[in-house]
Amino acid sequence: MLSDQQIDAYAREGYVSPVEAFSPEQARGYRDLLESAERSGGGLSADRRRKMHLYLKWVDDIVRHPRVLDAVQDLIGPDILLFHLTCWIKEAHTDAFVSWHQDSTYFGLDPAEHVTAWVALSPSNRESGCVQVVPGSHAGGQQRHAAGGDAGNMLKTGQRLDVPDDARIDLMQLQPGQFSLHHTYLFHNSMPNRSPDRRIGLGISYIPAHCRCDSRQRLSASLVRGVDRHGNFDLDPAPAADFDPQGMRSHEAAMRRWHAARAELIPKANTAT
Ligand SMILES: O=C(O)CCC(=O)C(=O)O
């Protein structure tokens, strides 16, 4: 699915963008489903914005979309687990931002082969606060992050890196239905949404099935392609329909494990030398 040039660019720069997944009309359809789920749930809580593929059938369809998985397979091989998912929504004309960080910081994954596919469901550009990256920054491996408090930061732990003012920064601008791919060690952030529309994207964290998570709390993950010969995660079922009771139970159980693992991994990363 990816060209040799794109695969080389990912190795060198740590990202590829944009790649086409589905049409803007299909993206609009998915956005309508998201907004209807928000209305029926009286807004989606922070937990409900995570791992949504476990209780929303249409999100499960996106995370298994052949164009997304073909591209991910080109980077991490044929046996693919979905480790985590976050729906990143920035409301129109708001100050929410994401500080410079590496996704690897609290994920505890070994080896660090995780790749994030960020799928746009609305225009994601300079004005709306798209994800931006420091190309090549993944090559330096894991960096120590500062943590803690800025109210507008969408990263709840506030983890952040300093990026020099003169660093080269590339914008991963996307039309609805396009996606970007970035390496777990790549420095990235995003600025406030100054546009009149919501900026909506799904950040989907894929790992090869041989990855392990370094938490005592055993986590679950979804096998989205190939075979799991390693058994490092309990495998989550796919939902039969939006909000079906089995899917809701799986989601709650997966989020309980997720929070327990975070409680171990965050202090460990923050005190590591
Ligand atoms: O959506 C954003 O602004 C940030 C996304 C992000 O940090 C990620 O997907 O890893």
Side-chain angles (χ1 to χ4, degrees), residues 170-251:
D170 288 355
L171 274 61
M172 300 201 294
Q173 305 201 73
L174 300 171
Q175 294 299 326
Q178 294 182 324
F179 64 103
S180 57
L181 295 158
H182 67 262
H183 188 277
T184 197
Y185 282 150
L186 193 71
F187 295 12
H188 60 289
N189 80 344
S190 68
M191 304 297 278
N193 180 2
R194 300 300 179 214
S195 82
D197 192 11
R198 312 176 85 193
R199 195 225 58 171
I200 305 170
L202 297 173
I204 312 169
S205 299
Y206 294 104
I207 56 174
H210 59 252
C211 270
R212 312 176 65 86
C213 181
D214 177 31
S215 59
R216 283 188 311 280
Q217 169 64 56
R218 190 171 163 83
L219 286 173
S220 61
S222 304
L223 181 66
V224 291
R225 181 170 278 185
V227 182
D228 177 16
R229 296 184 182 81
H230 301 271
N232 293 331
F233 297 86
D234 292 335
L235 297 182
D236 287 316
D242 292 355
F243 294 109
D244 83 90
Q246 169 61 48
M248 297 301 286
R249 280 195 296 277
S250 300
H251 177 258

Side-chain angles (χ1 to χ4, degrees), residues 86-166:
T86 304
C87 182
W88 296 95
I89 302 175
K90 286 184 190 164
E91 301 300 339
H93 298 299
T94 51
D95 290 332
F97 69 97
V98 172
S99 51
W100 287 110
H101 69 285
Q102 297 170 299
D103 288 338
S104 50
T105 307
Y106 301 137
F107 275 4
L109 290 168
D110 182 25
E113 292 173 4
H114 146 237
V115 55
T116 298
W118 199 99
V119 181
L121 298 186
S122 73
S124 187
N125 50 39
R126 185 186 294 275
E127 191 190 11
S128 67
C130 64
V131 180
Q132 42 187 29
V133 305
V134 180
S137 54
H138 64 307
Q142 182 64 50
Q143 305 294 314
R144 179 83 185 267
H145 288 54
D150 188 325
N153 194 346
M154 294 175 82
L155 301 179
K156 287 294 156 242
T157 313
Q159 68 268 34
R160 59 189 181 278
L161 291 165
D162 284 331
V163 166
D165 290 342
D166 60 354

Side-chain angles (χ1 to χ4, degrees), residues 31-63:
R31 176 177 175 167
D32 290 344
L33 288 168
L34 172 72
E35 293 182 340
S36 123
E38 286 177 307
R39 280 192 299 277
S40 65
L44 293 175
S45 65
D47 267 14
R48 288 271 175 95
R49 289 182 188 201
R50 300 192 178 111
K51 297 188 186 282
M52 304 171 99
H53 60 293
L54 297 181
Y55 72 92
L56 293 173
K57 174 79 180 83
W58 62 269
V59 181
D60 184 68
D61 291 343
I62 294 177
V63 305

